[in-house]
Amino acid sequence: MLEAVAKLAQWSPRPAPRGGRNGGAGRGVGFVHYDNYSGYAAIVLQVQVDRASGKVSVERVAAAHDCGLIVNPDGLKNQIEGNIVQTLSRSLLEDVKFDTAKVTSLDWVRYPILRFSDVPDEIAITLINRPDQPSLGAGEPRPRPSWRRSPTRYSMRPACGCAACRSLPSA
């Protein structure tokens, strides 16, 4: 799985940059074996951090996905793309706000989401079809690599030198 996503991402070994010395660019990788038997997923993110504003832009995403027998490859890719975009939105922007009595982020101005202009330029997906296996979960494993032990967060460290630019959800 990791070899498949590394090939798709054109990953090449390089020394780790120290303290954000590589012009605000970074990359991160994540892997999940969902629910012990219901699918495998791996993802690589390439990000750019604007050091002046702190804005994180995900420029490229490479994802590999194994959910056993693939019945509808086009539908599966659509599911994965949608999950990636939604999870990037959750990781980078979405934040429910409260006051002492209630939720205060009640509209799209106070609860920002990823805009089309913020969607990565490329989302490359490779599907690993295993026709000898039953079909497994297709939507469930996908978001997890994007925020649990987050490649979004890990890619920010070499991009800007910070350990975690924003606290991300853990589930």
Side-chain angles (χ1 to χ4, degrees):
M1 184 62 50
L2 288 171
E3 289 174 3
V5 79
K7 181 178 179 181
L8 187 63
Q10 301 169 353
W11 189 283
S12 59
R14 60 171 171 71
R18 302 224 188 267
R21 293 187 199 140
N22 65 338
R27 65 180 178 185
V29 64
F31 169 80
V32 67
H33 180 191
Y34 180 73
D35 200 21
N36 294 324
Y37 62 88
S38 293
Y40 302 85
I43 192 166
V44 172
L45 302 177
Q46 281 182 227
V47 304
Q48 186 72 32
V49 176
D50 181 315
R51 292 194 189 137
S53 69
K55 181 176 174 20
V56 177
S57 301
V58 179
E59 296 178 336
R60 185 171 191 274
V61 177
H65 200 284
D66 174 355
C67 60
L69 170 65
I70 298 172
V71 177
N72 181 347
D74 190 49
L76 177 56
K77 283 186 176 184
N78 291 336
Q79 175 75 39
I80 294 166
E81 285 178 2
N83 286 341
I84 288 168
V85 170
Q86 181 180 19
T87 302
L88 290 174
S89 184
R90 288 177 180 169
S91 298
L92 297 172
L93 298 171
E94 296 180 32
D95 191 17
V96 177
K97 304 276 187 193
F98 300 86
D99 64 16
T100 58
K102 64 187 179 309
V103 172
T104 60
S105 48
L106 301 175
D107 55 42
W108 297 121
V109 172
R110 292 175 283 185
Y111 186 82
I113 61 170
L114 202 68
R115 306 277 184 194
F116 282 116
S117 59
D118 299 320
V119 170
D121 293 334
E122 181 182 0
I123 299 176
I125 298 170
T126 189
L127 302 177
I128 299 170
N129 188 19
R130 293 188 301 142
D132 60 321
Q133 298 295 312
S135 293
L136 303 170
E140 296 82 0
R142 177 52 32 220
R144 301 246 193 280
S146 293
W147 87 64
R148 179 182 273 170
R149 294 176 181 75
S150 171
T152 309
R153 180 174 52 200
Y154 295 153
S155 59
M156 285 188 245
R157 185 172 194 58
C160 66
C162 60
C165 296
R166 180 171 183 265
S167 176
L168 302 174
S170 61

